[in-house]
Amino acid sequence: MTIELKMLAWTLVLAFVQILLFDVARTRQYGLKWNTGPRDEAMPPLSAHAERLSRAQANLFETLPLFAGFVLVAHVAGISTTMTVLGAQIYFWGRVAYVPLYAFGVRNLRSLVWLVSLAGLVMVAAAVLTAP
């Protein structure tokens, strides 16, 4: 398995972890009875921490299809270069760092880390789109 595919697989694990983190935060606030019930009743707004976990998850889900698509195209096309490997690693580790920064409300650095992860995505995309 290529490093790019491994990074994609680990990014999918990260996506699952983010789903769990948000669900745990929400259940902690609303209770197990709410979580196991039909969830029909109106609930108070989520805590700032739970909302941030939700937004961090949504943010990953915005770029994950693009990352997955470019990694899979690279794999099918037999493209595995220093740029695709480094780009995939930068994207993954940037996404890992992004979660706690967003969850704990760290400004500026969170946005910088997001830009770094985006640069990793662009690196993979550029390698695919400029391949002969």
Side-chain angles (χ1 to χ4, degrees):
M1 183 184 301
T2 65
I3 293 173
E4 297 91 336
L5 285 177
K6 286 182 184 179
M7 291 296 95
L8 175 56
W10 281 111
T11 303
L12 296 174
V13 170
L14 176 63
F16 182 67
V17 167
Q18 285 193 246
I19 290 168
L20 293 177
L21 288 172
F22 171 61
D23 192 51
V24 166
R26 183 176 53 182
T27 301
R28 185 177 296 139
Q29 181 177 342
Y30 291 162
L32 192 57
K33 183 179 176 185
W34 170 85
N35 193 7
T36 58
R39 303 179 187 181
D40 293 331
E41 64 274 4
M43 299 301 286
L46 287 168
S47 68
H49 183 73
E51 285 287 352
R52 288 192 299 268
L53 286 170
S54 175
R55 289 191 301 272
Q57 175 188 325
N59 186 276
L60 173 63
F61 290 176
E62 289 173 357
T63 60
L64 181 53
L66 300 172
F67 178 66
F70 281 118
V71 166
L72 293 174
V73 168
H75 181 72
V76 169
I79 302 166
S80 182
T81 65
T82 302
M83 194 152 92
T84 59
V85 169
L86 187 57
Q89 292 171 329
I90 289 170
Y91 176 82
F92 171 72
W93 289 111
R95 296 311 314 190
V96 168
Y98 184 83
V99 176
L101 292 172
Y102 206 145
F104 295 108
V106 178
R107 298 172 186 252
N108 301 327
L109 182 57
R110 179 201 85 211
S111 296
L112 179 61
V113 168
W114 180 84
L115 286 171
V116 168
S117 73
L118 187 64
L121 172 60
V122 168
M123 290 171 68
V124 177
V128 167
L129 295 173
T130 61

